[in-house]
Amino acid sequence: LVLCDPLGRFEKFFYQENYCGRPPSREDLSPNATDDVPPRRECWNSIAQALRDRELIKRVSISTHLDRMVRNFGERLIVVHQGLLRENPRWAFDVIATFLGVPRFPVDKRF
């Protein structure tokens, strides 16, 4: 399992789904939509404003999903932050290979 930065994930969610500056999609509008009908969804003008919304944070949080995966997969699960794959791919892939019980990548392999 590769994880992204939680704040980065929240930021992506914010800009894709809840930023007031995004024009509403057809699904966002009420059933009797006209161009002057405001979106039905909640939106925020800034990430700082969105971070004050506890329900939004709960919806975006991966902790419940991660907890469930740990319970279901136990020692068969390895969690790797995606930043590690970018910053030190050799080490990250060697750790993954060791976890899987396969040989490490050749020394001359470039990532």
Side-chain angles (χ1 to χ4, degrees):
L1 174 66
V2 176
L3 294 177
C4 63
D5 172 44
L7 190 54
R9 183 175 188 272
F10 185 85
E11 185 179 41
K12 286 178 196 170
F13 175 81
F14 170 77
Y15 282 114
Q16 291 173 351
E17 303 294 331
N18 295 89
Y19 180 50
C20 292
R22 177 179 72 81
S25 67
R26 185 52 73 194
E27 295 81 34
D28 290 334
L29 300 173
S30 65
N32 302 323
T34 63
D35 290 341
D36 58 347
V37 175
R40 192 171 35 182
R41 66 182 168 81
E42 289 188 78
C43 67
W44 295 268
N45 293 316
S46 70
I47 291 176
Q49 186 183 27
L51 283 169
R52 290 189 208 103
D53 185 328
R54 294 283 183 214
E55 291 304 312
L56 178 63
I57 292 172
K58 285 180 189 175
R59 271 196 352 235
V60 178
S61 175
I62 63 165
S63 63
T64 55
H65 305 292
L66 184 57
D67 185 52
R68 190 175 313 125
M69 291 181 81
V70 169
R71 281 195 315 257
N72 289 334
F73 292 100
E75 293 181 11
R76 297 175 297 157
L77 177 69
I78 184 172
V79 177
V80 179
H81 190 279
Q82 73 179 18
L84 183 61
L85 293 170
R86 284 191 293 265
E87 294 164 13
N88 196 344
R90 157 84 41 212
W91 186 82
F93 283 108
D94 282 347
V95 167
I96 294 168
T98 301
F99 176 79
L100 294 173
V102 298
R104 292 179 173 194
F105 290 89
V107 177
D108 61 343
K109 178 70 177 169
R110 294 188 65 201
F111 297 96

